[in-house]
Amino acid sequence: MERASAFIKRLLRDPALSELTPLQKEQQIVQFLHSNGSHVHSTLSHSKYFPDTPWSEIVALLEKALSYIVDDDLLPALRRIVYDQIDFSFVTFLGGSEAPRNRISDEVYQIITELLKRGPTRRALTGPYTAVYHRLAHPYIDGIYARETYIHFELTKVQRLRMGEKELKSMIDACLLLKPAIHLAHRENGQQRADRVVPARFAEEAVAELGSRWSLVPEQALRSAAHANVSFQNNRYVEATSRLVALFATRGRNYRPRLRSERGAEPPEKSWLSVARRNNSFYGFDVKMLDELYSIAAEKGW
């Protein structure tokens, strides 16, 4: 394991990874290892690292070492997000538990650490975690409340949320982190990609099971997180919060802070939203929601 850790630490020193979140770094290195397996195997099996060792054994050791090293940075950052950044007072607006906020934080943190122990859900957490870490939804929520148009109507009149911007930001962040949790309720399904859209029935069954396991997270928050995995194209009853979570979870996957656009090109946010609109049927996004977010980004020069 020491030799595997030493090699992984060398890869993590790549300057190209410096601005990425820990899970993004892990994703990039796993992709590198699998895309360049024969080259890496040739290098490592003829060196001091893993002489004459089969590639299957090498890559298993490297991925294990990678997850340990990443967790050293990731877990303290997650604790800061769950205990300090997210204000769980929003649960009172959902008729949630009167339990002390730190107990709700404990439950959410326990759920997330369980997600990190399983390969598919760990990978699926990359986009949501990045979105929460960089607060990607927050400036858009400010714009949504300032405009009071389509998305605000969907949140307040259709979904009937009675909360302000501050509470909604925390709710969206919490639901982002809980988005992959539906797959904890379906251990038997063998699904390898926990970041793909799922049937509404799959999500509903997960809400029922997870609600019986976790008593402090309000059902409406669990439902919003679960339905973020359901295509709005196939189910027009998906909550507005779920539609926002789905958008920002996808935005977070390959998000890079301080990315500059080339001269004459659209700014990064406008560019991403434009591409997302063209591919909305694949992701199951709400086109009208994308249009409004694009308009906000254009107005702000993002």
Side-chain angles (χ1 to χ4, degrees):
M1 184 61 76
E2 287 184 9
R3 288 175 294 176
S5 296
F7 183 71
I8 290 297
K9 286 176 180 176
R10 278 183 55 192
L11 296 180
L12 286 168
R13 286 196 289 268
D14 185 341
L17 303 178
S18 62
E19 291 189 339
L20 301 183
T21 62
L23 284 174
Q24 284 180 311
K25 292 176 183 178
E26 181 175 304
Q27 176 180 273
Q28 291 292 312
I29 288 178
V30 168
Q31 288 176 352
F32 168 78
L33 292 175
H34 287 277
S35 299
N36 300 276
S38 58
H39 175 71
V40 177
H41 181 221
S42 176
T43 300
L44 296 182
S45 63
H46 295 88
S47 69
K48 63 179 181 179
Y49 285 106
F50 303 101
D52 304 316
T53 306
W55 174 239
S56 59
E57 292 182 24
I58 294 174
V59 74
L61 283 170
L62 292 175
E63 289 186 1
K64 187 175 182 180
L66 176 60
S67 65
Y68 283 150
I69 293 168
V70 164
D71 280 351
D72 285 342
D73 290 332
L74 177 62
L75 293 178
L78 265 174
R79 288 193 68 86
R80 287 192 295 272
I81 287 170
V82 173
Y83 289 90
D84 300 327
Q85 177 177 321
I86 299 177
D87 181 357
F88 285 96
S89 64
F90 76 83
V91 302
T92 60
F93 291 88
L94 305 178
S97 171
E98 294 296 328
R101 298 290 172 258
N102 65 307
R103 284 188 56 206
I104 301 174
S105 299
D106 288 342
E107 185 168 89
V108 170
Y109 185 75
Q110 182 267 321
I111 295 168
I112 299 167
T113 53
E114 190 173 346
L115 292 173
L116 290 170
K117 293 175 183 175
R118 300 181 63 214
T121 50
R122 184 182 178 93
R123 291 191 293 274
L125 197 56
T126 301
Y129 173 78
T130 303
V132 175
Y133 180 83
H134 289 292
R135 295 177 168 89
L136 297 185
H138 292 201
Y140 287 99
I141 291 172
D142 291 334
I144 289 166
Y145 273 78
R147 287 170 168 242
E148 296 189 355
T149 52
Y150 172 69
I151 301 176
H152 188 268
F153 180 86
E154 291 289 297
L155 290 165
T156 61
K157 303 301 183 184
V158 179
Q159 193 172 345
R160 298 182 179 177
L161 293 179
R162 300 290 185 264
M163 59 177 70
E165 299 166 55
K166 177 176 174 289
E167 291 80 17
L168 182 65
K169 289 172 183 177
S170 284
M171 181 179 175
I172 294 296
D173 283 351
C175 291
L176 275 161
L177 294 175
L178 295 174
K179 179 178 179 288
I182 64 166
H183 297 282
L184 296 177
H186 293 272
R187 294 180 183 275
E188 74 285 353
N189 69 23
Q191 185 165 322
Q192 295 301 305
R193 291 297 302 270
D195 57 351
R196 296 298 191 199
V197 295
V198 302
R201 187 175 63 128
F202 182 102
E204 283 298 325
E205 290 172 356
V207 170
E209 180 178 334
L210 298 177
S212 67
R213 292 170 56 185
W214 301 320
S215 60
L216 301 181
V217 178
E219 181 182 337
Q220 194 169 349
L222 280 179
R223 193 173 298 279
S224 289
H227 285 172
N229 299 277
V230 176
S231 170
F232 181 67
Q233 305 287 324
N234 301 330
N235 189 328
R236 296 287 165 163
Y237 295 102
V238 170
E239 296 87 345
T241 46
S242 300
R243 286 174 259 162
L244 286 171
V245 168
L247 277 164
F248 288 108
T250 305
R251 177 68 182 108
R253 285 183 200 167
N254 300 307
Y255 177 79
R256 287 178 177 264
R258 293 181 289 279
L259 180 66
R260 295 180 179 276
S261 56
E262 296 182 5
R263 185 184 297 274
E266 287 191 326
E269 291 296 303
K270 281 182 63 181
S271 176
W272 186 85
L273 288 164
S274 178
V275 173
R277 194 185 190 291
R278 291 198 298 273
N279 296 309
N280 73 87
S281 59
F282 175 77
Y283 291 110
F285 292 153
D286 178 350
V287 174
K288 290 182 69 176
M289 195 169 274
L290 283 168
D291 286 343
E292 183 171 337
L293 297 180
Y294 181 90
S295 179
I296 291 170
E299 180 182 290
K300 301 293 185 181
W302 300 335

